[in-house]
Amino acid sequence: MKKLVIAYSGGLDTSYCAVSLSKEYDVHAVSVNTGGFSDEEIKNIESNAYKMGVSTYKNIDAVATFYNKVVKYLIFGNVLKNATYPLSVSAERIIQAIEIIEYAKSINAEYIAHGSTGAGNDQVRFDMIFQTLAPGIKIITPIRDGKLTRQEEIDYLKSEGIDMPWEKSKYSVNKGLWGTSVGGVETLKSEKPLPSEAYPSQLEKNGEEKVTITFKNGEFVALNGEENKPEINIENLNEIASKYAIGRDIHVGDTIVGTKGRVGFEAAAAIITVKAHHLLEKHTLTKWQLQHKEYLSSFYGMHLHEGQYLDPVMRDTEAFLQSSQKMVSGNVVVTLKPYHFSLDGIVSNHDLMSSAFSTYGEENKAWTADDAKGFIKILGNQNKIYQQVNK
């Protein structure tokens, strides 16, 4: 039997793929942990994979890889798609696809399969990465090709002696390092919000709590003075902030396949980190750095969302973002409150609000009144010339 690798999540779609494909192929299941999986959950996924008839199962720990290859640049760029969404799931899928295809190549698999339907973004992300990195490996997508319904998949699995509680939960939840997506009947249309109980984290704390986020060259290097790897700091911040039910919202955007999409998400650590980092940049970067970063960051986020991660322009943009972070070091104090947070202020050796030069609206120490008058006169030349010529 020919060797096939399947991107296995343990859900209904990938379980159907595993069972049906095992009749024709030597199936090797692999899942990629980009955050959010406990050891117990990984053990359950492995146990279920073998029940589906796979030959082997492998879980790849890619949390650090996910941070270093993607999340780091999303923080550098303060990326929030449509000024809302931190690209929680779309960013994960890129790294998952890369890890899965590299694993398939390492065991000399001839085929690779995933459980995406033909209606969403993930099929594009997976297929593009697979085709680019391993054009000789054939892609198989039973759910997409067969246009299968959930009930058809359940009936097939029952006929194969696999009777598990496949009934779809009221809300679909995808948890990762950079946030958790939440989908339900409310997100299928435009008018209703998700109810509070749909979000995985509920309000556990009242009052206020201050946290200090330390950045060094743009990276999240310490939380409340305790140094750790950035991905661990993100996890720890999320553990603290999620108890205040912070980071809930609904993102509305354009899908890769041309439709509008709506999805709820909960991303306490991601939103706080991005906002805190952006505040520190406002103090430490020049006007023109901030301006050009804004559109390049938007470009980076859009192309990542669209599955274009492997295009060399992304490495070019990452180089710019990395270079921009040389002076982005300091502490940001954040106050956590039920359902929201506030940015209190920053302390940085690179703070450009230096009192040695001026205090905005109060006094200046670096120029005279005559200097100011001459500057304003020259600054207004273009407008004055235009008005006089075109009276």
Side-chain angles (χ1 to χ4, degrees):
M1 298 176 77
K2 293 181 177 180
K3 192 176 290 186
L4 177 145
V5 164
I6 181 171
Y8 185 75
S9 67
L12 174 61
D13 293 334
T14 57
S15 295
Y16 173 90
C17 293
V19 173
S20 61
L21 293 172
S22 292
K23 297 183 180 303
E24 300 179 49
Y25 303 94
D26 175 24
V27 177
H28 299 263
V30 59
S31 58
V32 181
N33 179 14
T34 47
F37 283 100
S38 67
D39 292 340
E40 188 62 31
E41 287 170 327
I42 292 170
K43 288 179 181 177
N44 288 337
I45 293 172
E46 179 176 14
S47 175
N48 287 337
Y50 284 115
K51 290 177 184 177
M52 304 304 151
V54 305
S55 299
T56 65
Y57 169 81
K58 181 178 179 63
N59 179 270
I60 299 172
D61 185 347
V63 177
T65 301
F66 180 39
Y67 170 78
N68 284 305
K69 289 191 173 182
V70 176
V71 172
K72 177 171 69 175
Y73 298 104
L74 295 178
I75 297 172
F76 289 173
N78 310 308
V79 175
L80 295 174
K81 184 168 170 54
N82 288 353
T84 305
Y85 180 47
L87 296 181
S88 306
V89 177
S90 51
E92 285 184 1
R93 292 293 184 258
I94 299 301
I95 296 303
Q96 289 167 352
I98 291 172
E99 292 289 339
I100 291 166
I101 197 65
E102 292 299 335
Y103 176 71
K105 291 194 292 184
S106 74
I107 65 170
N108 298 314
E110 298 177 64
Y111 299 87
I112 191 164
H114 61 83
S116 299
T117 70
N121 288 326
D122 285 346
Q123 59 174 332
V124 181
R125 297 175 184 131
F126 281 125
D127 281 15
M128 286 180 63
I129 296 290
F130 294 165
Q131 292 169 3
T132 302
L133 295 182
I137 297 179
K138 184 177 179 181
I139 301 169
I140 297 177
T141 54
I143 310 301
R144 178 172 62 184
D145 295 347
K147 298 181 181 179
L148 299 175
T149 65
R150 288 184 62 84
Q151 193 57 52
E152 287 172 331
E153 295 173 52
I154 292 170
D155 291 343
Y156 173 80
L157 290 172
K158 285 182 177 179
S159 72
E160 292 294 322
I162 300 173
D163 192 3
M164 298 175 70
W166 297 116
E167 288 71 22
K168 190 174 183 180
S169 61
K170 190 173 182 182
Y171 296 99
S172 61
V173 176
N174 185 93
K175 187 177 181 182
L177 174 69
W178 204 230
T180 300
S181 67
V182 183
V185 64
E186 295 88 353
T187 59
L188 297 178
K189 293 185 178 180
S190 305
E191 65 272 17
K192 293 182 180 179
L194 283 167
S196 179
E197 62 269 19
Y199 294 95
S201 298
Q202 296 297 305
L203 181 65
E204 297 180 33
K205 283 190 172 185
N206 286 295
E208 297 183 356
E209 179 177 352
K210 290 187 183 294
V211 296
T212 299
I213 298 173
T214 302
F215 293 96
K216 183 177 181 180
N217 303 130
E219 296 202 58
F220 185 173
V221 295
L223 177 63
N224 291 331
E226 184 174 342
E227 295 184 4
N228 220 320
K229 294 179 180 178
E231 61 269 24
I232 295 176
N233 290 329
I234 291 167
E235 291 174 341
N236 291 340
L237 175 60
N238 201 67
E239 179 68 22
I240 296 170
S242 63
K243 289 181 172 57
Y244 290 91
I246 289 170
R248 298 175 172 186
D249 209 336
I250 291 182
H251 165 61
V252 180
D254 297 288
T255 67
I256 305 172
V257 294
T259 59
K260 291 285 184 181
R262 194 168 182 252
V263 65
F265 67 89
E266 175 187 286
I271 298 296
I272 293 170
T273 302
V274 165
K275 293 295 185 179
H277 176 266
H278 193 200
L279 176 62
L280 184 59
E281 282 196 330
K282 291 176 186 178
H283 283 264
T284 57
L285 298 187
T286 68
K287 173 168 62 175
W288 304 124
Q289 282 181 300
L290 289 167
Q291 182 184 52
H292 292 292
K293 269 191 83 264
E294 186 172 347
Y295 67 78
L296 283 172
S297 298
S298 175
F299 175 97
Y300 185 84
M302 174 60 77
H303 282 66
L304 182 70
H305 175 267
E306 298 275 320
Q308 299 288 346
Y309 177 78
L310 294 178
D311 192 290
V313 74
M314 297 293 277
R315 307 293 81 76
D316 299 336
T317 310
E318 287 167 357
F320 172 86
L321 293 174
Q322 182 81 58
S323 176
S324 73
Q325 300 302 294
K326 291 176 182 176
M327 302 302 171
V328 186
S329 298
N331 293 331
V332 184
V333 179
V334 182
T335 299
L336 309 179
K337 310 167 187 178
Y339 302 109
H340 67 114
F341 64 93
S342 59
L343 302 174
D344 296 348
I346 71 104
V347 176
S348 171
N349 292 331
H350 306 288
D351 188 356
L352 300 180
M353 280 189 66
S354 173
S355 58
F357 292 93
S358 68
T359 302
Y360 179 70
E362 297 290 336
E363 62 176 345
N364 73 77
K365 302 175 184 178
W367 58 85
T368 67
D370 286 338
D371 291 336
K373 293 174 184 177
F375 166 74
I376 296 166
K377 185 174 183 179
I378 294 172
L379 183 66
N381 270 343
Q382 181 169 256
N383 286 334
K384 287 183 284 187
I385 293 169
Y386 178 87
Q387 294 296 331
Q388 290 176 18
V389 169
N390 294 292
K391 279 184 178 179

